[in-house]
Short mmCIF file of all heavy atoms in Angstrom, two decimals:
data_model
loop_
_atom_site.label_atom_id
_atom_site.label_comp_id
_atom_site.label_asym_id
_atom_site.label_seq_id
_atom_site.Cartn_x
_atom_site.Cartn_y
_atom_site.Cartn_z
N LYS E 180 2.07 37.30 -29.70
CA LYS E 180 0.63 37.13 -29.70
C LYS E 180 0.35 36.30 -30.95
O LYS E 180 0.70 36.72 -32.06
CB LYS E 180 -0.03 38.51 -29.79
CG LYS E 180 -1.37 38.63 -29.15
CD LYS E 180 -1.72 40.11 -28.92
CE LYS E 180 -3.08 40.28 -28.32
NZ LYS E 180 -3.39 41.68 -28.01
N ARG E 193 -13.34 29.40 -34.78
CA ARG E 193 -13.40 29.93 -33.42
C ARG E 193 -14.00 28.95 -32.42
O ARG E 193 -13.76 29.07 -31.21
CB ARG E 193 -14.23 31.21 -33.42
CG ARG E 193 -13.43 32.41 -33.89
CD ARG E 193 -14.30 33.63 -34.00
NE ARG E 193 -13.49 34.84 -34.17
CZ ARG E 193 -13.99 36.02 -34.49
NH1 ARG E 193 -15.30 36.15 -34.67
NH2 ARG E 193 -13.20 37.06 -34.63
N GLU E 205 -10.92 36.23 -30.59
CA GLU E 205 -10.58 37.53 -31.17
C GLU E 205 -9.25 37.50 -31.90
O GLU E 205 -8.91 38.47 -32.59
CB GLU E 205 -10.58 38.62 -30.09
CG GLU E 205 -9.52 38.48 -29.02
CD GLU E 205 -9.99 37.66 -27.82
OE1 GLU E 205 -10.93 36.84 -27.98
OE2 GLU E 205 -9.43 37.83 -26.72
N ILE E 212 -18.92 35.72 -43.73
CA ILE E 212 -20.09 36.33 -44.34
C ILE E 212 -20.66 37.33 -43.35
O ILE E 212 -20.31 37.31 -42.17
CB ILE E 212 -21.16 35.26 -44.70
CG1 ILE E 212 -21.42 34.35 -43.49
CG2 ILE E 212 -20.71 34.44 -45.91
CD1 ILE E 212 -22.53 33.35 -43.72
N TYR E 245 -4.75 43.33 -42.07
CA TYR E 245 -4.88 44.79 -41.89
C TYR E 245 -6.20 45.12 -41.20
O TYR E 245 -6.24 45.93 -40.26
CB TYR E 245 -4.80 45.49 -43.25
CG TYR E 245 -4.97 46.99 -43.18
CD1 TYR E 245 -4.02 47.77 -42.52
CD2 TYR E 245 -6.06 47.61 -43.76
CE1 TYR E 245 -4.17 49.15 -42.44
CE2 TYR E 245 -6.22 48.99 -43.69
CZ TYR E 245 -5.28 49.75 -43.02
OH TYR E 245 -5.44 51.11 -42.94
N ARG E 246 -7.29 44.49 -41.62
CA ARG E 246 -8.60 44.78 -41.05
C ARG E 246 -8.73 44.34 -39.60
O ARG E 246 -9.25 45.06 -38.76
CB ARG E 246 -9.70 44.08 -41.87
CG ARG E 246 -10.32 44.90 -42.94
CD ARG E 246 -11.17 46.04 -42.39
NE ARG E 246 -11.05 47.21 -43.24
CZ ARG E 246 -10.22 48.22 -43.00
NH1 ARG E 246 -9.45 48.24 -41.93
NH2 ARG E 246 -10.16 49.24 -43.80
N ARG E 250 -1.71 45.56 -37.82
CA ARG E 250 -0.26 45.75 -37.92
C ARG E 250 0.40 44.53 -38.55
O ARG E 250 -0.15 43.45 -38.58
CB ARG E 250 0.37 46.10 -36.58
CG ARG E 250 -0.04 45.22 -35.45
CD ARG E 250 0.57 45.76 -34.17
NE ARG E 250 -0.16 45.36 -32.99
CZ ARG E 250 0.15 45.76 -31.77
NH1 ARG E 250 1.17 46.56 -31.59
NH2 ARG E 250 -0.55 45.36 -30.75
N LYS U 180 -9.96 42.42 -20.89
CA LYS U 180 -9.35 42.82 -22.15
C LYS U 180 -10.22 43.95 -22.68
O LYS U 180 -11.43 43.76 -22.85
CB LYS U 180 -9.37 41.61 -23.10
CG LYS U 180 -8.25 41.55 -24.10
CD LYS U 180 -8.17 40.13 -24.69
CE LYS U 180 -7.09 40.02 -25.73
NZ LYS U 180 -6.93 38.64 -26.20
N ARG U 193 -7.07 53.56 -34.82
CA ARG U 193 -5.89 52.75 -34.50
C ARG U 193 -4.61 53.56 -34.43
O ARG U 193 -3.64 53.12 -33.81
CB ARG U 193 -5.75 51.63 -35.54
CG ARG U 193 -6.67 50.47 -35.28
CD ARG U 193 -6.62 49.45 -36.41
NE ARG U 193 -7.27 48.21 -36.02
CZ ARG U 193 -7.53 47.22 -36.86
NH1 ARG U 193 -7.20 47.33 -38.13
NH2 ARG U 193 -8.13 46.12 -36.44
N GLU U 205 -5.32 45.67 -32.70
CA GLU U 205 -6.18 44.49 -32.90
C GLU U 205 -7.38 44.50 -31.96
O GLU U 205 -8.28 43.66 -32.12
CB GLU U 205 -5.37 43.19 -32.76
CG GLU U 205 -4.79 42.93 -31.37
CD GLU U 205 -3.40 43.50 -31.18
OE1 GLU U 205 -3.04 44.46 -31.90
OE2 GLU U 205 -2.68 42.99 -30.31
N ILE U 212 -13.82 50.42 -44.61
CA ILE U 212 -13.99 50.16 -46.04
C ILE U 212 -13.02 49.05 -46.42
O ILE U 212 -12.10 48.74 -45.65
CB ILE U 212 -13.72 51.43 -46.88
CG1 ILE U 212 -12.39 52.07 -46.46
CG2 ILE U 212 -14.87 52.42 -46.73
CD1 ILE U 212 -11.98 53.24 -47.32
N TYR U 245 -19.24 40.54 -32.98
CA TYR U 245 -19.24 39.12 -33.38
C TYR U 245 -18.12 38.84 -34.39
O TYR U 245 -17.39 37.86 -34.25
CB TYR U 245 -20.60 38.75 -33.96
CG TYR U 245 -20.70 37.33 -34.44
CD1 TYR U 245 -20.60 36.27 -33.53
CD2 TYR U 245 -20.88 37.03 -35.79
CE1 TYR U 245 -20.68 34.96 -33.96
CE2 TYR U 245 -20.97 35.71 -36.22
CZ TYR U 245 -20.86 34.68 -35.31
OH TYR U 245 -20.93 33.39 -35.74
N ARG U 246 -17.98 39.71 -35.37
CA ARG U 246 -16.98 39.50 -36.41
C ARG U 246 -15.55 39.62 -35.89
O ARG U 246 -14.68 38.82 -36.22
CB ARG U 246 -17.16 40.52 -37.53
CG ARG U 246 -18.02 40.06 -38.68
CD ARG U 246 -17.33 38.99 -39.50
NE ARG U 246 -18.31 38.02 -39.99
CZ ARG U 246 -18.58 36.87 -39.39
NH1 ARG U 246 -17.95 36.51 -38.29
NH2 ARG U 246 -19.45 36.05 -39.88
N ARG U 250 -17.00 36.96 -29.20
CA ARG U 250 -17.69 36.58 -27.96
C ARG U 250 -18.35 37.80 -27.32
O ARG U 250 -17.99 38.93 -27.60
CB ARG U 250 -16.79 35.86 -26.99
CG ARG U 250 -15.47 36.50 -26.74
CD ARG U 250 -14.66 35.59 -25.83
NE ARG U 250 -13.24 35.80 -25.99
CZ ARG U 250 -12.32 35.09 -25.36
NH1 ARG U 250 -12.68 34.11 -24.57
NH2 ARG U 250 -11.04 35.34 -25.53
#
Side-chain angles (χ1 to χ4, degrees):
Chain E
K180 209 162 178 176
R193 280 174 168 170
E205 66 270 23
I212 50 175
Y245 178 65
R246 266 292 144 263
R250 49 185 156 183
Chain U
K180 210 164 179 175
R193 280 174 168 170
E205 64 270 23
I212 49 174
Y245 178 65
R246 267 290 144 264
R250 49 184 155 183

